Amino acid sequence: MSDCMLRLQSVTKRFGTTMAAESVSLEVGQTELFALLGPSGSGKTTLLRIIAGLDAPDEGRVLIGGRDVTRLPPYRRGIGMVFQDFLLFPHKTVAENIAFPLKMQGKSRAETADDLKWVSQLVRLTGLEERYPHELSGGQKQRVALARGLVSRPSLLLLDEPLANLDRELRKRMEVEIRRFQLELGIPFIYVTHNQEEALTMASRMAVMREGCLEQIGDKLALYHRPATAFVAAFLGSPNTFEGDVVGVEDGRAEIAWHGHRFWSRAHDGLAPGLRAVCYVKSEKIAFASSGAALAGRLRDTIFKGQYADYLVCLDDGHEITVSAAPDLCHRPGEAVGITWAADDGDAFPAVGKE
Amino acid sequence: MNHRSGFGVQVLLLAALYLFLYGPILYVIYVSFQIDSIWPFPPTLTLEHHTDLWQRRDYHAALWNSVTIGFGTGLIATLFATLAAMAILKYRSPGSGLVAGLFLAPLFIAPILIGISSLMFSRTVLGMPGSIFGATLANSTYATAFALLVVLAQFARYDWRLDDAAMVFGARPWRTFWEITLPITWPAMLGAFIVSFLLAFNNLEISFYNLGATPTLPTLAWGALRHGISAELYALAAIINFAVFALFTVLYLLLRLGTIRID
């Protein structure tokens, strides 16, 4: 990557016997909003702390703007950060909180005033300068935290689960705003979250982490539609899982036998006839079909979700499959339905650790 | 009915417990204002013992020495306790429990042993005769443990990630302490100072062994006891109790204020 702003090289960190990061390498470009997605305990916050300098890696290097900062303390890295739970300084006013990075840099009063004005307008905070953090709403705290992270125009902004404590409405608004800040400022944002909706909404590229390892890294659409590992396939979206036997493999496709049914799916490394396989099909990629359906069953229930609905289809042999589709399909509970999906919409991986 | 009588019993129990805790102290204060301190009933008020006490020059010197030892001990113990508490809570490590345990262990050593052993140590090993300085240091060993308890209790509620935030935004460690940690946690340190000040101010055993003939209020009172309980001692006890009560009121208010600011 030619405009690489952040580069991690084989970063490894152990806490006792736990691997918080295992040989993690990644690059983030100058204008990217990069999401690190993973379940809690996957090591994503540790990775962020290593980038910030709050934790030192056991092995590997951290480069920011081409400069090796692995051994630099946090206060000499010149990066901004938005913390989980905001971490506003409770004894300082909003203005003092936001101006803190400038104060540490020894900026003059005039410069500080200019920067404060600029950032307050950017995050729309004007008028709250003299309040204390405990007098602010959750959304206002979030804006102050963002303003404090951005005010010194850092070369990189780290965001650690910044929206985890906001209600749904506010979270959606802030998702859009954070994207806007990133576009306006043109600096890389590295966004850690366990919420895939957030990651998929905001990021341009993303990485999925699991137990200290990067499972997959790339364009968010690629991760969503073309998962490279079983973990990513199972983690993103809400997939249906079919565990069956591999009947044959040809041309990058595998034929899976599952409870007397047979269907094709994209085959990933390690599949061979006779082996067990797990196949993931995202629920919105399954469609109702009146003829040529792969599977037949009866509609058990419809879960209305607003913009879409989850149709729970009970197959004749008792297995249940979720189909996400437009909410206005006039299927009645008990009605016979057929469902199907394209071979490329299934991802089959070797089954591990199961009978 | 049953409920009401239960409430009455609770109030009675509480009153009895407070009487147990404060009865003797209140009695001493009461006696200090009575003409007849041997059998002070019925009450006949007087300020005579207090004015007598005020005229005793030796008590003035002793008060000054006690305040000096208390102040010095308060400063040393608060400094050490703050550093130790940060080591234990901010920079957690597998050995934190042991570190804390070794700092708190002096709580379980009898003060008289600390008195004797610190005297022997400074005489024999350091070649230092008993002095106010030595007494301050000896009191500090004991007071640091108490101060640490106070600081730990308050620091446990402090969110150390605030320090992380300050560091990321460019504050060096000392600046972080000055800008963030101290303004939020100062009541903890003031509390530790007051507690260790009082411990050293009131201490008899440690100070006595390390001071030789130099008087402090407790050693002077202890010496005076050998000639029977004089009425000035009641007055002294009353005044010290008032002062301690006032200090603890300040401490309480500060800790209340502190929690409000932390939340």
Side-chain angles (χ1 to χ4, degrees):
Chain A
M1 195 176 295
S2 58
D3 64 342
C4 171
M5 194 62 211
L6 170 76
R7 175 175 290 151
L8 300 185
Q9 291 176 339
S10 316
V11 167
T12 298
K13 177 78 182 175
R14 294 175 206 88
F15 289 114
T17 53
T18 323
M19 284 301 251
E22 194 170 349
S23 196
V24 173
S25 296
L26 61 82
E27 290 183 355
V28 178
Q30 176 63 51
T31 55
E32 276 192 292
L33 206 163
F34 184 87
L36 263 174
L37 176 66
S40 56
S42 58
K44 50 197 194 307
T45 292
T46 301
L47 210 54
L48 208 65
R49 288 177 60 85
I50 288 173
I51 298 170
L54 293 167
D55 279 325
D58 296 325
E59 289 156 40
R61 299 204 302 159
V62 180
L63 291 96
I64 296 175
R67 189 170 64 125
D68 187 339
V69 298
T70 316
R71 300 286 152 219
L72 281 189
Y75 46 87
R76 288 174 58 194
R77 294 197 178 191
I79 57 184
M81 188 157 175
V82 178
F83 292 85
Q84 195 172 7
D85 310 324
F86 317 126
L87 293 190
L88 302 180
F89 304 130
H91 59 299
K92 291 180 182 286
T93 63
V94 166
E96 288 166 344
N97 262 284
I98 299 175
F100 186 80
L102 306 173
K103 189 175 170 188
M104 293 306 109
Q105 288 174 352
K107 289 229 175 159
S108 74
R109 192 177 280 238
E111 281 173 306
T112 301
D114 283 350
D115 289 348
L116 268 184
K117 200 174 155 203
W118 163 75
V119 85
S120 299
Q121 280 171 355
L122 178 75
V123 305
R124 303 198 180 113
L125 251 179
T126 317
L128 299 175
E129 287 86 347
E130 297 314 313
R131 299 244 187 119
Y132 282 91
H134 68 87
E135 298 171 311
L136 301 178
S137 69
Q140 289 167 335
K141 284 182 192 171
Q142 179 59 259
R143 285 165 200 279
V144 176
L146 273 162
R148 187 178 60 174
L150 291 171
V151 71
S152 60
R153 299 171 206 251
S155 54
L156 185 65
L157 184 73
L158 307 176
L159 302 103
D160 186 9
E161 303 265 9
L163 306 182
N165 288 321
L166 301 183
D167 62 54
R168 190 185 142 82
E169 257 329 288
L170 202 53
R171 204 164 64 221
K172 290 191 139 184
R173 269 218 315 272
M174 292 309 295
E175 280 173 2
V176 176
E177 295 225 0
I178 289 174
R179 259 180 86 91
R180 177 171 68 84
F181 302 151
Q182 196 272 327
L183 287 173
E184 275 185 36
L185 297 174
I187 62 167
F189 281 21
I190 304 199
Y191 192 101
V192 158
T193 179
H194 67 273
N195 182 328
Q196 54 167 305
E197 255 180 75
E198 262 172 53
L200 291 167
T201 308
M202 300 170 63
S204 37
R205 280 198 319 138
M206 63 192 266
V208 171
M209 269 194 98
R210 176 205 187 190
E211 290 171 8
C213 296
L214 286 189
E215 280 278 314
Q216 190 179 355
I217 177 168
D219 184 83
K220 68 177 171 190
L221 295 178
L223 263 76
Y224 189 84
H225 294 298
R226 297 278 176 265
T229 70
F231 181 80
V232 176
F235 191 66
L236 292 181
S238 38
N240 290 283
T241 308
F242 306 93
E243 185 168 339
D245 296 306
V246 182
V247 181
V249 179
E250 61 182 62
D251 245 4
R253 301 255 177 101
E255 189 176 22
I256 312 283
W258 176 77
H259 294 288
H261 309 284
R262 288 192 173 202
F263 49 80
W264 288 88
S265 158
R266 295 198 310 133
H268 290 264
D269 287 349
L271 284 184
L275 290 181
R276 294 287 283 172
V278 189
C279 180
Y280 299 95
V281 186
K282 303 230 187 307
S283 60
E284 78 277 12
K285 294 188 177 179
I286 303 181
F288 291 107
S290 41
S291 61
L295 302 170
R298 287 182 182 281
L299 188 69
R300 189 174 69 74
D301 201 0
T302 303
I303 315 289
F304 180 68
K305 299 268 192 178
Q307 289 149 328
Y308 67 98
D310 281 338
Y311 298 90
L312 307 182
V313 176
C314 196
L315 300 186
D316 299 335
D317 54 14
H319 287 90
E320 201 164 274
I321 292 174
T322 306
V323 180
S324 300
D328 49 358
L329 301 181
C330 297
H331 292 304
R332 298 266 159 266
E335 190 182 326
V337 289
I339 56 172
T340 187
W341 63 87
D344 274 347
D345 289 335
D347 285 278
F349 300 87
V352 278
K354 287 181 187 165
E355 77 276 66
Chain B
M1 180 78 186
N2 202 1
H3 185 76
R4 286 183 63 95
S5 71
F7 181 71
V9 170
Q10 281 176 3
V11 169
L12 263 175
L13 263 175
L14 189 67
L17 188 56
Y18 280 145
L19 192 66
F20 171 74
L21 290 174
Y22 295 107
I25 293 168
L26 291 176
Y27 178 72
V28 164
I29 294 172
Y30 165 76
V31 172
S32 74
F33 293 104
Q34 301 305 316
I35 289 177
D36 184 355
S37 58
I38 310 295
W39 180 249
F41 308 106
T44 36
L45 281 177
T46 177
L47 277 174
E48 186 191 327
H49 308 313
H50 289 260
T51 46
D52 281 355
L53 179 70
W54 186 246
Q55 277 152 11
R56 294 274 300 271
R57 289 285 139 202
D58 47 348
Y59 278 102
H60 287 214
L63 173 67
W64 179 243
N65 289 336
S66 283
V67 168
T68 308
I69 293 173
F71 226 86
T73 303
L75 288 178
I76 294 172
T78 304
L79 177 68
F80 287 176
T82 304
L83 294 174
M86 284 182 73
I88 292 162
L89 289 176
K90 182 176 178 181
Y91 305 101
R92 277 176 197 276
S93 70
S96 286
L98 183 66
V99 171
L102 287 176
F103 271 113
L104 295 176
L107 285 175
F108 305 104
I109 303 174
I112 194 160
L113 276 181
I114 294 178
I116 296 172
S117 45
S118 56
L119 172 71
M120 280 164 36
F121 184 80
S122 49
R123 274 271 162 79
T124 318
V125 181
L126 303 180
M128 203 168 70
S131 68
I132 286 198
F133 181 62
T136 305
L137 290 184
N139 271 297
S140 299
T141 62
Y142 193 54
T144 298
F146 278 95
L148 182 59
L149 277 185
V150 175
V151 177
L152 278 180
Q154 287 282 305
F155 270 19
R157 289 187 299 187
Y158 178 67
D159 190 344
W160 293 100
R161 294 177 306 162
L162 289 170
D163 286 29
D164 286 347
M167 298 255 275
V168 167
F169 294 123
R172 288 159 177 276
W174 176 244
R175 193 83 193 267
T176 299
F177 181 77
W178 187 250
E179 289 272 355
I180 309 297
T181 322
L182 186 63
I184 298 174
T185 62
W186 64 267
M189 285 155 234
L190 188 68
F193 176 84
I194 293 178
V195 165
S196 38
F197 173 89
L198 286 176
L199 277 174
F201 181 87
N202 287 330
N203 183 275
L204 171 66
E205 301 98 320
I206 301 175
S207 301
F208 175 74
Y209 280 101
N210 282 278
L211 276 174
T214 315
T216 66
L217 281 186
T219 58
L220 199 62
W222 171 249
L225 268 179
R226 277 182 262 180
H227 312 292
I229 303 180
S230 65
E232 293 101 48
L233 284 183
Y234 288 113
L236 180 65
I239 290 168
I240 289 181
N241 276 323
F242 270 123
V244 168
F245 179 75
L247 264 176
F248 264 99
T249 307
V250 171
L251 175 64
Y252 173 76
L253 289 176
L254 287 172
L255 291 184
R256 279 292 300 273
L257 188 68
T259 42
I260 289 164
R261 292 190 60 157
I262 288 168
D263 288 344

